[in-house]
Amino acid sequence: MTATFDAIESFDAIEVLLALFLTASALVCLFDRHLVRACYFFVAFTAAMTAAWWQLGAPWLAAVELVLGVGLTGPCFFYALGHVLPGASSPLERDKFSEPWSRVAMRVLLALAWFVMVGAAIRYVVADMAYAPSEHPLLVAGVVIAATALGAFALHRHLLRRLLAFNLLGSAVFILLAGVAGTSATAQALISVGLLVAWLGSMLGALLIRQLLHLEGVEALGRDGRTEEGAT
Amino acid sequence: MIWRFGLFDSTFEPLLPTHWALLVALGLPLLLGVLAALFPPKRAWPVVLASVPVLASGLMLLSAYDQAGLLRWHWDIAGVQLSLRLNGLSVLLLLMTQVIGVAAAIYTPGYLRLSETGPLARWLWPLMGVVLSALSLIWLATDLLTLYAGLELMGLAAVGMLMLSGKVAALVAGMRYLLLALMGSLTYLLGVALILGHWGQLDLQGLAEVVEPGPVAWFAAALIGAGLALKAALFPLHAWLTPVHENAWTPVSALHAALVIKASLFILLQLWSILLPDTFYAPRVIAWLGLLAIVWGGLLAWRTDSLKTLVASSTVGQLGYLMVAFPLLLGPDIAPLTRALAWEGFWLQLMGHAFAKAAMFMAAGNLILATGESTLKGLAGTSRRLPLSLLVFGIASITLMGLPPSSGFTAKWLLLQAMVLSQQWWAVAALLIGTLLTAAYIFRLFRYCFDETAPRHRYQPLAPGMDLIALTLALIAFALGLLAHFPLELMHGGSP
C-alpha cells in the first residue's frame, strides 16, 4: 500500500488531471450514443492531447497535434455528420444499432485480453522505458484508452463510431510510443507521420460516410462492411 | 539474409546523374498524376509520351547499379536519419512497378472513355501517381520511418482508388478496407515503437547489427507481422480483398493486386530477416497458413460465379506460394543452396504473379466491358468474338498455373528444388495441390467461354490498344521464365 501511495505522490498533479480528463473524454467519445456530443468530446480529447505532448516535453508534437488533430481531424467528423454549422440538425444524431449481449461480452473479453497483453509487454518486455508508467500517469491512461478503443472498434457497427475508435486508439498508441521510445526527434517524426495518416484516413472515411449516407441512408452505415444481401 | 537485401556499406558514392534518376523515379509519377488531374488525357498517346522519362529513370538506375554495385543515400534532417539503398532486387522491383504502372496508365484513358465512370474519374490520376511514387520509395527505403510513410501513403491512395467507382457496394467494401488498413498501420507502429525504444534507432542496417533474439524482437516481429499480413491479405486476414476488387475499376484492380499487396509482403520479409533470422516456428506458422491459403483461395475461385471474384480469389491462393517459401528463407540451419534457390524462386514467383495478375485483370476487365456481363455464364460464346482477350487470359493463366516455360514454372521449379533439398514434403504437396486447383478454376472459365451454342450478342468494341497492353504484360510474365537468368543475376548481385 505504501508503495502505491509513494507512487501516487510522485505524480505531477497537472499530469494526473490530464490523464483523468483524457480517459474520461475518450470513454464518452467511444460509448456515447449521441454522435454529435461524441464528436465534441473527440475535439476536447485532441485538445487535451496537445497539452499532454507539451507536458511530455514535445512542443513540436503539440503543434502538430493542434493543427492536425484539433484543426483538421475534428472537423472531418462534423462534416461526416453533416453538422458543419453549430445549431444545424443532422440526420445522424444518434446511433440506433443495438448489439446482442454475446457480442458485447466477446468484445469486452477481447479488450481485457489486449489490456493485459499490452500491460504485460510494457511491464516485463520493455524494462528501460523513457517514461515509466509508475511515474507518468499519462502512460497508464494510454494503456487504458488503447484497450477500450480496441474493444469499441470491435464492438461498434456504426462506421463513424469505428472511425472515432480508430482515432482514439491511434492517439493511445502514440502516447505509448512516446513512453517507450521517449520524445527524441525520430520518435516525434514517427508520431507526426502517424497523425498525418490518421487525418488523411479520417478525411477519406468522412467522405465515404457522406457518400454512403447520400446514396443509401443511415442504415447503410451499420452493415459492418457487408452489402445489403450479405447483412440480411 | 541481410546482405541479400543490400543492408551493407556501399563501395561507391552515387554519381550526379544517378541522383537525378532517383529524383525522377520517386517524384515524377506523382507530378504526372497531378498534371493529369488538371488536364485529363483523353487518348493514350500523351500517357505514352509522359511515361518515357519514368521508364528512362528506371533504366538509368539499372545501369548505375550495373556499373557501381550497391548504392546508398543518407540524409540527416533535424536529427532524423533517412536512408535509401539501391541493390539488384530493388532495381528489379522498381522496374516492375514502373512497367506495370505505365501499362495501367496507358490502359486507363480508353477504359474511362468506354465505361460510365462519372465525375470522379479525374481523381484516379493523382491517386495512381501517389501509389507508384510510394511503391518506388518502399523498394528503396532502409529505415522504418520512410517505410512507414511510404506504406501508409500507398495504402490510403489505394483505398481512394478502389472506391472511385462510387457504387454502394464499393463504398462499403472500401470503408471496411480503410478501417482494417488503418488498424494494421497502428499495429505496425506499435512494433516500431518497441524497436525504437529498445535499440534506439530505425535504420535497418544499424538494426541488423544490434538486434539480438529475445522477447522484444519477438513482440515487435509479431506486431509488425500482424499489421503487414492484414495489409498484404495473407491468408486468414484476406476477407477484405475480394469485395474490394469486385467493384473497382480495372486498372485500379490491376495495380492493387499486382503491386500494392506485394509491398507489404516485401517489408514483412525484410523486417523479419532482421528481427527473426533464426526463429524456428514463426516462418513455419506463415507457411502452414500459406498451405491453407493455397487450398482456400483455389476453392473460392473454383466455386465463384463472378469473373472478378475468380481473379481476386486466385490472388489469395497465389500469395500462399510465397508464404510457403518462408521457412526456406528464414530459420536456423538452412543450407546455403536451399536458401539461394528459395530466394530466387520467391522473387520470381512474386514478379511473375504481378505481371500475370495485372494482365489477367485487364483481360477480365476487357471481357466484362465488351460483353456487359460480369458473371462466368455471361461469357458464353466469347471465344468467337473476343479471341484476343481470351488469349491474354490464357497466357496469363499459363504463368499462374506454372506450366513451362513461363515464369510461374521457373519459380515453382526453384521453390520445389529448395523444398526437396530441405525435405519439406508437405510444402511440395501444397505446390502440387495449388497447381491442380488453379488448372481447375481456369478451365472452368474456359469451358463457359468456348460454349458454341450460346446466342450471339452485340458486343461493345474496345478502344485500340486495350488488348495489346494486356497482351504485353502477359507476354512479359511468360518471357520472365525463358529469360530468367537476367532477373536472377540481379537478385544475387552485390554480395560482399
Side-chain angles (χ1 to χ4, degrees):
Chain A
M1 272 315 266
T2 41
T4 323
F5 282 124
D6 284 348
I8 290 175
E9 267 172 33
S10 70
F11 286 175
D12 183 19
I14 302 175
E15 214 180 314
V16 173
L17 280 180
L18 257 180
L20 284 178
F21 182 75
L22 277 176
T23 319
S25 56
L27 286 177
V28 176
C29 179
L30 287 173
F31 295 108
D32 191 351
R33 279 185 177 262
H34 193 286
L35 292 171
V36 179
R37 195 160 55 208
C39 289
Y40 277 119
F41 270 91
F42 176 75
V43 175
F45 177 85
T46 46
M49 280 295 294
T50 310
W53 290 128
W54 188 272
Q55 181 74 19
L56 287 176
W60 281 107
L61 265 185
V64 174
E65 175 82 45
L66 190 67
V67 174
L68 287 180
V70 184
L72 293 171
T73 311
C76 285
F77 290 109
F78 289 108
Y79 172 72
L81 282 176
H83 190 90
V84 184
L85 298 170
S89 71
S90 154
L92 255 188
E93 210 151 74
R94 300 184 78 84
D95 167 18
K96 297 197 187 69
F97 302 113
S98 60
E99 331 289 347
W101 273 106
S102 56
R103 185 179 157 95
V104 176
M106 278 302 293
R107 299 312 192 262
V108 169
L109 277 181
L110 178 81
L112 275 178
W114 176 248
F115 178 75
V116 170
M117 209 180 80
V118 172
I122 285 182
R123 180 74 183 76
Y124 296 106
V125 176
V126 195
D128 46 349
M129 285 178 65
Y131 297 94
S134 53
E135 289 164 22
H136 289 270
L138 274 176
L139 282 203
V140 183
V143 177
V144 173
I145 296 172
T148 7
L150 190 79
F153 182 85
L155 172 70
H156 292 318
R157 283 184 297 156
H158 197 295
L159 292 177
L160 187 85
R161 300 186 74 183
R162 298 189 89 183
L163 206 57
L164 274 174
F166 154 73
N167 266 288
L168 290 179
L169 180 61
S171 294
V173 167
F174 300 150
I175 297 181
L176 291 180
L177 198 160
V180 172
T183 44
S184 62
T186 318
Q188 293 205 28
L190 208 55
I191 295 176
S192 305
V193 175
L195 281 168
L196 187 70
V197 170
W199 167 53
L200 289 174
S202 305
M203 195 170 66
L204 206 55
L207 285 172
L208 257 170
I209 289 174
R210 283 304 290 175
Q211 192 64 22
L212 265 178
L213 264 179
H214 175 68
L215 290 173
E216 284 283 278
V218 181
E219 283 304 307
L221 299 184
R223 281 193 216 129
D224 194 23
R226 287 181 197 91
T227 47
E228 204 151 0
E229 310 87 67
T232 48
Chain B
M1 272 302 278
I2 305 297
W3 63 264
R4 291 184 198 273
F5 277 109
L7 300 175
F8 53 89
D9 287 322
S10 57
T11 325
F12 298 103
E13 288 293 307
L15 300 169
L16 186 67
T18 316
H19 287 302
W20 280 106
L22 179 78
L23 189 68
V24 170
L26 291 182
L28 194 62
L30 187 59
L31 191 71
L32 288 174
V34 174
L35 265 181
L38 296 175
F39 311 102
K42 296 274 182 289
R43 305 270 160 206
W45 64 264
V47 186
V48 176
L49 278 185
S51 55
V52 170
V54 177
L55 290 174
S57 72
L59 292 174
M60 267 185 75
L61 288 176
L62 174 66
S63 82
Y65 170 75
D66 256 354
Q67 284 160 13
L70 177 82
L71 295 174
R72 300 187 67 88
W73 286 266
H74 283 283
W75 294 281
D76 189 327
I77 303 166
V80 182
Q81 310 278 341
L82 302 177
S83 60
L84 303 179
R85 59 100 169 69
L86 186 80
N87 69 341
L89 180 63
S90 37
V91 171
L92 209 54
L93 293 174
L94 184 73
L95 281 174
M96 173 185 91
T97 307
Q98 290 179 340
V99 170
I100 295 180
V102 161
I106 298 175
Y107 181 89
T108 304
Y111 180 81
L112 293 181
R113 195 147 35 91
L114 289 182
S115 47
E116 296 128 18
T117 44
L120 289 173
R122 70 167 58 208
W123 285 96
L124 177 59
W125 295 103
L127 291 173
M128 213 185 236
V130 173
V131 166
L132 292 179
S133 282
L135 273 166
S136 312
L137 188 64
I138 288 172
W139 309 133
L140 298 173
T142 49
D143 66 287
L144 289 170
L145 178 62
T146 319
L147 278 176
Y148 176 60
L151 189 68
E152 292 315 312
L153 268 183
M154 178 195 72
L156 287 172
V159 175
M161 287 201 310
L162 287 163
M163 315 172 319
L164 279 178
S165 70
K167 292 180 199 148
V168 174
L171 294 179
V172 174
M175 188 72 196
R176 189 178 180 202
Y177 177 32
L178 173 70
L179 287 171
L180 289 179
L182 288 174
M183 288 312 268
S185 83
L186 286 183
T187 325
Y188 173 86
L189 198 63
L190 260 184
V192 173
L194 280 181
I195 293 176
L196 182 63
H198 198 74
W199 289 294
Q201 54 181 334
L202 293 179
D203 183 53
L204 293 186
Q205 189 185 349
L207 279 175
E209 284 158 15
V210 295
V211 166
E212 57 223 26
V216 180
W218 297 333
F219 259 88
L223 286 168
I224 289 177
L228 290 174
L230 187 60
K231 282 168 177 278
L234 297 190
F235 170 61
L237 307 172
H238 66 279
W240 55 266
L241 185 70
T242 332
V244 153
H245 279 293
E246 184 71 25
N247 296 293
W249 288 341
T250 305
V252 175
S253 287
L255 273 185
H256 188 268
L259 299 173
V260 171
I261 49 176
K262 307 284 166 39
S264 308
L265 202 64
F266 169 79
I267 300 179
L268 178 65
L269 187 63
Q270 178 167 309
L271 295 187
W272 272 25
S273 67
I274 293 170
L275 292 170
L276 304 173
D278 294 318
T279 315
F280 183 79
Y281 285 106
R284 273 176 179 67
V285 170
I286 294 275
W288 290 326
L289 292 176
L291 175 64
L292 293 176
I294 292 174
V295 176
W296 184 244
L299 287 178
L300 277 183
W302 191 33
R303 298 296 305 158
T304 181
D305 282 327
S306 147
L307 180 56
K308 278 206 166 177
T309 307
L310 185 146
V311 183
S313 310
S314 116
T315 305
V316 176
Q318 295 283 326
L319 282 176
Y321 294 127
L322 299 176
M323 293 160 76
V324 167
F326 263 63
L328 305 169
L329 290 166
L330 302 172
D333 312 325
I334 300 176
L337 179 62
T338 312
R339 191 172 275 180
L341 285 170
W343 175 262
E344 292 175 346
F346 184 90
W347 295 111
L348 201 61
Q349 163 74 15
L350 188 144
M351 288 195 299
H353 176 253
F355 283 109
K357 192 45 66 78
M360 203 179 228
F361 260 118
M362 286 183 187
N366 286 346
L367 286 172
I368 292 172
L369 198 61
T371 58
E373 299 263 0
S374 59
T375 56
L376 291 184
K377 292 193 179 68
L379 295 179
T382 42
S383 59
R384 276 170 298 175
R385 301 292 299 276
L386 298 162
L388 195 53
S389 296
L390 278 183
L391 176 70
V392 174
F393 208 95
I395 298 176
S397 0
I398 291 177
T399 306
L400 290 193
M401 282 189 272
L403 299 183
S406 67
S407 61
F409 171 75
T410 316
K412 275 175 202 155
W413 184 253
L414 291 166
L415 287 177
L416 206 62
Q417 244 176 314
M419 286 162 186
V420 172
L421 278 178
S422 59
Q423 301 191 329
Q424 305 207 1
W425 302 111
W426 58 271
V428 175
L431 219 61
L432 295 179
I433 295 171
T435 306
L436 287 179
L437 275 170
T438 315
Y441 62 74
I442 295 292
F443 285 121
R444 180 161 168 265
L445 171 97
F446 279 118
R447 210 189 67 208
Y448 283 110
C449 295
F450 284 91
D451 181 3
E452 294 287 328
T453 57
R456 283 174 179 273
H457 294 292
R458 279 190 57 78
Y459 290 134
Q460 174 170 15
L462 294 170
M466 282 172 82
D467 272 325
L468 281 182
I469 300 158
L471 184 65
T472 315
L473 286 181
L475 285 177
I476 292 175
F478 196 72
L480 266 180
L482 288 172
L483 309 171
H485 61 89
F486 163 69
L488 294 186
E489 218 168 274
L490 270 180
M491 273 175 226
H492 276 300
S495 56

